[in-house]
């Protein structure tokens, strides 16, 4: 009984918890003390390309629909100048022009709704198919690994890696990537327009936004390993919990309930510390983006206000402000969108790590 595993051949509980640490537990203990690795994008890229290549036509269609949605989104700020200068700010107001403007805005809204629905259906469903495909691939590979690998990893950990690590990949082909591309495309189009309206104001705002983007780039290098570590801790805690519940008779036979409760509590506390660390970092980035937004607003109010009366109309001012929102918003949305992409890359990194393990018939010994 001292060598009986209660999770299906994973080194035995009594061997790890009783008279000495087993080889699998010893390996895990050593690995847990090694420096935490960052996501290796060069290692992950071949897997990303292999799963995206057959879906290039879907991504191309998604980009086309995204471009249509972006153009429809820009109708509202474009029509603002005409609404103020040609309809409302005249004496008397030309209210007879309102129905035409309302019809244009409503049509643009309908186009946005249709493209958004098609994108969600097309890419979200394909993202779920991609998750299913990767799960099947990883499960097949894990089933062909040597028994020594199972001795070094708990069943629960492997289950968590097969089922959980691949879930984030949907962000690479799903709505997360669409939002990212849409935001960047919108920002570029609006930037061209704003430079034509006022070079000094636009360049001043652009310098602030680009500086914040550079700051985010450094911040994400700190955030990415946190999410990768969370997946590892979650897999370990889930794996140990699965082992404990699956081998409850063995645990009760050795009166080790309190010991298992302590092990689970320690793992749960590690997971909590990781979550708090990531939330704190994300909150700081969110506060920084809010500060930058306020700074940009102050600059536009001050510099744009001086342009009114020296060439700009009230409609020009309101239109410029509306367009500026479409340029700065994508940079601030990166805080949320990039978090999703980071989580996806962290999961893929762990998946590649698992797929890199030699199958049983490939192990030299």
């Amino acid at each position: 009984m001292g060598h009986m595993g209660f999770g299906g051949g994973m080194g035995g509980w009594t061997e790890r918890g009783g008279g000495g640490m087993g080889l699998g537990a010893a390996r895990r203990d050593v690995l847990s003390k090694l420096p935490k690795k960052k996501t290796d994008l060069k290692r992950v890229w071949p897997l990303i390309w292999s799963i995206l290549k057959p879906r290039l036509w879907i991504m191309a269609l998604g980009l086309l629909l995204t471009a249509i949605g972006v153009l429809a989104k820009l109708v509202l700020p474009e029509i603002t100048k005409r609404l103020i200068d040609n309809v409302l700010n005249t004496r008397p107001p030309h209210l007879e022009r309102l129905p035409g403007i309302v019809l244009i805005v409503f049509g643009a809204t309908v186009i946005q709704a249709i493209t958004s629905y098609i994108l969600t259906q097309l890419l979200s469903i394909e993202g779920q198919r991609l998750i299913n495909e990767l799960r099947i691939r990883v499960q097949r590979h894990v089933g062909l690994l040597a028994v020594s690998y199972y001795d070094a990893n708990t069943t629960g950990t492997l289950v968590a890696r097969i089922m959980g690590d691949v879930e984030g990949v949907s962000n690479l082909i799903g709505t997360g990537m669409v939002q990212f591309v849409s935001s960047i495309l919108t920002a570029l189009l609006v930037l061209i327009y704003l430079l034509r309206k006022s070079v000094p104001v636009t360049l001043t705002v652009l310098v602030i936004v680009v500086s914040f983007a550079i700051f985010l780039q450094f911040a994400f290098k700190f955030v990415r390993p946190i999410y990768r570590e969370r997946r590892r801790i979650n897999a370990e805690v889930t794996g140990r919990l699965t082992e404990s519940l699956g081998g409850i008779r063995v645990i009760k036979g050795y009166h080790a309930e309190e010991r298992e409760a302590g092990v689970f509590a320690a793992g749960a506390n590690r997971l909590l510390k990781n979550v708090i660390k990531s939330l704190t970092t994300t909150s700081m980035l969110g506060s920084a983006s809010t500060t930058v937004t306020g700074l940009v607003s102050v600059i536009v109010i001050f510099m744009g206000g001086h342009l009114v009366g020296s060439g700009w109309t009230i409609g020009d001012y309101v239109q410029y402000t509306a367009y500026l929102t479409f340029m700065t918003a994508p940079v601030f949305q990166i805080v949320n969108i990039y978090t999703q992409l980071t989580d996806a890359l962290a999961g893929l990194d762990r998946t590649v790590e698992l797929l890199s393990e030699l199958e049983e018939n490939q192990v030299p010994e």
Side-chain angles (χ1 to χ4, degrees), residues 43-108:
R43 182 174 66 171
V44 174
W45 173 246
L47 177 62
I48 295 177
W49 176 246
S50 68
I51 60 182
L52 293 184
K53 186 177 180 180
R55 299 169 173 83
L56 290 179
W57 69 271
I58 295 179
M59 299 183 67
L61 179 58
L63 289 175
L64 176 61
L65 292 173
T66 299
I68 295 174
V70 167
L71 293 176
K73 185 191 302 183
L74 296 179
V75 169
L76 183 58
E78 178 63 27
I79 209 72
T80 301
K81 173 178 169 58
R82 299 180 184 178
L83 175 63
I84 295 177
D85 290 343
N86 301 334
V87 178
L88 302 180
N89 199 30
T90 60
R91 294 294 180 269
H94 296 294
L95 300 181
E96 69 278 1
R97 299 177 182 176
L98 276 178
I101 293 178
V102 170
L103 185 61
I104 293 175
V105 174
F106 179 75

Side-chain angles (χ1 to χ4, degrees), residues 64-356:
L64 176 61
L65 292 173
T66 299
I68 295 174
V70 167
L71 293 176
K73 185 191 302 183
L74 296 179
V75 169
L76 183 58
E78 178 63 27
I79 209 72
T80 301
K81 173 178 169 58
R82 299 180 184 178
L83 175 63
I84 295 177
D85 290 343
N86 301 334
V87 178
L88 302 180
N89 199 30
T90 60
R91 294 294 180 269
H94 296 294
L95 300 181
E96 69 278 1
R97 299 177 182 176
L98 276 178
I101 293 178
V102 170
L103 185 61
I104 293 175
V105 174
F106 179 75
T109 303
V110 171
I111 292 176
Q112 288 185 67
I114 293 175
T115 55
S116 177
Y117 175 80
I118 296 176
L119 281 170
T120 301
Q121 288 294 306
L122 182 68
L123 297 180
S124 295
I125 292 176
E126 192 60 31
Q128 293 303 313
R129 286 176 179 167
L130 179 56
I131 291 175
N132 184 62
E133 176 185 313
L134 269 181
R135 278 178 179 159
I136 294 174
R137 178 178 173 182
V138 173
Q139 188 280 330
R140 181 185 179 279
H141 180 78
V142 170
L144 297 175
L145 295 179
V147 175
S148 59
Y149 187 82
Y150 289 87
D151 291 336
N153 296 272
T154 65
T155 297
T157 299
L158 294 178
V159 170
R161 297 186 69 171
I162 293 172
M163 298 300 294
D165 284 352
V166 300
E167 288 184 350
V169 75
S170 62
N171 288 320
L172 297 178
I173 195 173
T175 55
M177 182 59 72
V178 170
Q179 292 174 0
F180 184 79
V181 174
S182 175
S183 298
I184 297 300
L185 180 60
T186 303
L188 291 176
L189 292 176
V190 173
L191 176 61
I192 296 174
Y193 172 83
L194 293 181
L195 286 173
R196 296 177 59 186
K197 293 290 291 185
S198 175
V199 174
V201 180
T202 303
L203 289 182
T204 303
V205 173
L206 187 61
V207 169
I208 296 175
V209 172
V210 171
S211 300
F212 181 64
I214 295 174
F215 166 75
L216 287 180
Q217 183 64 28
F218 286 102
F220 289 144
K221 291 181 180 180
F222 176 75
V223 173
R224 187 182 301 159
I226 297 177
Y227 280 90
R228 190 181 192 279
E229 178 69 5
R230 181 188 301 181
R231 285 187 173 274
R232 188 185 69 82
I233 296 174
N234 188 67
E236 290 179 358
V237 174
T238 304
R240 184 57 183 249
L241 179 62
T242 303
E243 271 196 316
S244 299
L245 297 178
I248 192 65
R249 289 179 176 82
V250 179
I251 293 176
K252 287 183 176 296
Y254 284 89
H255 305 288
E257 295 91 341
E258 289 298 325
R259 181 181 182 279
E260 286 301 308
V263 171
F264 177 78
N269 288 332
R270 281 198 301 144
L271 185 61
L272 175 62
K273 290 180 181 179
N274 180 277
V275 172
I276 292 175
K277 189 176 182 181
S278 64
L279 289 176
T280 301
T281 305
T282 305
S283 299
M284 291 176 60
L285 293 178
S287 298
S289 67
T290 302
T291 303
V292 173
T293 302
L295 181 59
V296 168
S297 300
V298 169
I299 292 175
V300 172
I301 291 174
F302 180 78
M303 298 183 68
H306 283 77
L307 291 175
V308 175
S310 60
W312 275 20
T313 63
I314 299 297
D316 288 322
Y317 179 79
V318 175
Q319 184 187 48
Y320 185 90
T321 304
Y323 267 116
L324 189 62
T325 303
F326 284 95
M327 187 188 76
T328 57
V331 179
F332 305 140
Q333 289 174 355
I334 290 177
V335 175
N336 295 323
I337 298 174
Y338 200 89
T339 298
Q340 299 176 11
L341 298 179
T342 296
D343 196 22
L345 291 175
L348 279 178
D349 192 23
R350 287 173 51 81
T351 300
V352 170
E353 185 180 89
L354 187 57
L355 292 174
S356 299

